[in-house]
Amino acid sequence: PPPIFGSEVRLTTTTLQEATPAIAWNGTYVGVLYRKGQVSSNGSLLLPDLYLALLNPDGTRASTPDILVDTNVRYSDIVWTGTEFGVVWVSSSSTYFQRFSPAGVPKAPIVNISSATPGTVKLGNEPPRIAWSQTYGGYALAAPSYQEIQFQRIGADGTAPDPINPSNATTYETPVPLASSPAGDWGLAGRNNSNTLLLFYNADGSHTKPNVSIASSTGPFDIIHDGVTWSAALASASDIRLNRGETFKTFTAVFGSFTEGGHVGLSMLGNGVLALKYKDTLYRLRRYTVPSSAASASYSLIGSTVTLVSSNSAVDLVVEPTGTSQMLAVWQDVRWGVPNAELYAAAMDFQECP
């Protein structure tokens, strides 16, 4: 049988544009970061404010009002550590960080990571990504710059970050997906003018492994650790590819046709199933069993492809597992007319699916 979809929940009803949601599940609520601001004549957001909303697994609000995190925010990201939300964002050419309780209450003051970073190299205006390592007991950030990817561990509270450890590769573009493994090492994905590359940092933040070229393509990509080894999804001009293993010598599960930019994402359901979100003309989802051996390069497709939203008005859709076989999708929707948009959510349950 097909998955069970809940009703769409419209989260905002303002005349302001809602933009670029990022989400994380804490076992009870889904934390949703989003930016809200006036729309200029060219369609960009003017002085957007950053909010944190708490949703129930069915997409309805768990509390109101939403929490104002900061003003004049360009980019943001969120992660759940097991005990708290870690939030990172860019405002006024600096990167900021703050910790929130499971109920969305700030646990400490905002930290200016750029000011606290030793040395002359700082995170600045580019979109940061955040990850947590239980082994390290702290957070890490990754962001692009004009000529390199910047990686930085910031500890458990951000007040004493490590110096930035940049890669030696050049001309990367945004964004830089970041993930950690159970062993505590870090995986990043980036691209230069002609290749999509993977970068692996050790648990201590050092970068001793060579960069791995996985394709002569500059399409969107994502990286995750599937519990056994690293996995990456890559979208080229003609198809979408799911790849497994740290060397990524062989593409598997190639399918398409791919026509939209910037929309691939990987996540792990609670039952150990790998979920691949992508967009061709609509947002869709595929599920795969994870081999028990790191030497296996192939994932096995479970069931059929699922269409997440049956309208092309959905933009910047993100999904987050909320249980063994449940997920929540949150997206920006322009059904009310570009450039105005609102946030929507919908739950799905794969429990009865093959």
Side-chain angles (χ1 to χ4, degrees):
I4 298 173
F5 282 86
S7 301
E8 290 185 358
V9 179
R10 186 178 178 182
L11 298 174
T12 57
T13 56
T14 69
T15 58
L16 304 178
Q17 187 183 45
E18 324 295 331
T20 56
I23 61 178
W25 163 248
N26 70 7
T28 304
Y29 305 122
V30 176
V32 180
L33 279 182
Y34 68 94
R35 295 183 299 134
K36 180 170 69 175
Q38 296 281 357
V39 181
S40 70
S41 58
N42 65 6
S44 63
L45 282 174
L46 296 175
L47 300 177
D49 298 331
L50 181 65
Y51 288 87
L52 174 61
L54 290 181
L55 305 184
N56 295 307
D58 64 359
T60 58
R61 269 192 168 77
S63 64
T64 57
D66 296 341
I67 300 148
L68 176 63
V69 178
D70 201 2
T71 59
N72 192 20
V73 173
R74 295 187 62 192
Y75 308 105
S76 59
D77 197 19
I78 186 172
V79 69
W80 173 250
T81 70
T83 59
E84 65 185 27
F85 291 110
V87 175
V88 63
W89 68 94
V90 171
S91 177
S92 302
S93 301
S94 292
T95 297
Y96 294 88
F97 168 78
Q98 192 170 24
R99 299 155 53 224
F100 291 84
S101 75
V105 178
K107 296 182 66 174
I110 294 172
V111 178
N112 186 325
I113 297 296
S114 300
S115 297
T117 298
T120 59
V121 180
K122 315 283 187 178
L123 295 180
N125 279 323
E126 301 302 330
R129 292 293 182 265
I130 188 169
W132 167 266
S133 167
Q134 192 67 40
T135 304
Y136 164 48
Y139 298 89
L141 307 177
S145 70
Y146 177 68
Q147 290 187 325
E148 60 196 11
I149 282 181
Q150 297 176 332
F151 172 81
Q152 179 180 30
R153 302 189 312 166
I154 64 170
D157 61 11
T159 58
D162 292 350
I164 288 176
N165 188 0
S167 73
N168 57 5
T170 60
T171 322
Y172 281 89
E173 300 176 9
T174 59
V176 181
L178 171 66
S180 64
S181 77
D185 51 330
W186 311 88
L188 297 76
R191 65 192 185 208
N192 58 20
N193 285 333
S194 58
N195 290 285
T196 299
L197 303 178
L198 299 175
L199 302 89
F200 297 102
Y201 282 76
N202 302 316
D204 63 2
S206 61
H207 183 208
T208 58
K209 296 181 179 180
N211 298 337
V212 179
S213 176
I214 60 171
S216 56
S217 169
T218 57
F221 42 80
D222 197 14
I223 187 171
I224 197 172
H225 199 280
D226 66 17
V228 181
T229 189
W230 294 98
S231 174
L234 169 71
S236 71
S238 59
D239 56 29
I240 298 174
R241 305 168 182 182
L242 182 59
N243 319 281
R244 190 167 193 260
E246 189 169 313
T247 58
F248 289 84
K249 296 300 184 184
T250 304
F251 289 124
T252 62
V254 178
F255 59 96
S257 300
F258 181 78
T259 59
E260 299 288 339
H263 300 288
V264 291
L266 294 169
S267 53
M268 294 297 299
L269 286 162
N271 57 4
V273 169
L274 178 73
L276 167 64
K277 175 215 71 177
Y278 68 97
K279 186 177 183 182
D280 45 29
T281 55
L282 299 172
Y283 280 100
R284 309 186 196 276
L285 187 85
R286 285 190 170 199
R287 296 171 301 130
Y288 296 88
T289 57
V290 175
S292 58
S293 170
S296 175
S298 298
Y299 291 102
S300 298
L301 180 66
I302 302 173
S304 57
T305 301
V306 174
T307 299
L308 297 174
V309 181
S310 58
S311 169
N312 59 12
S313 62
V315 182
D316 293 333
L317 182 145
V318 289
V319 293
E320 179 74 0
T322 56
T324 302
S325 58
Q326 296 78 32
M327 302 186 81
L328 183 71
V330 178
W331 69 93
Q332 177 180 325
D333 202 296
V334 295
R335 70 182 67 179
W336 304 102
V338 176
N340 291 316
E342 304 294 344
L343 285 182
Y344 280 76
M348 65 200 83
D349 192 336
F350 295 92
Q351 184 172 357
E352 302 300 325
C353 295

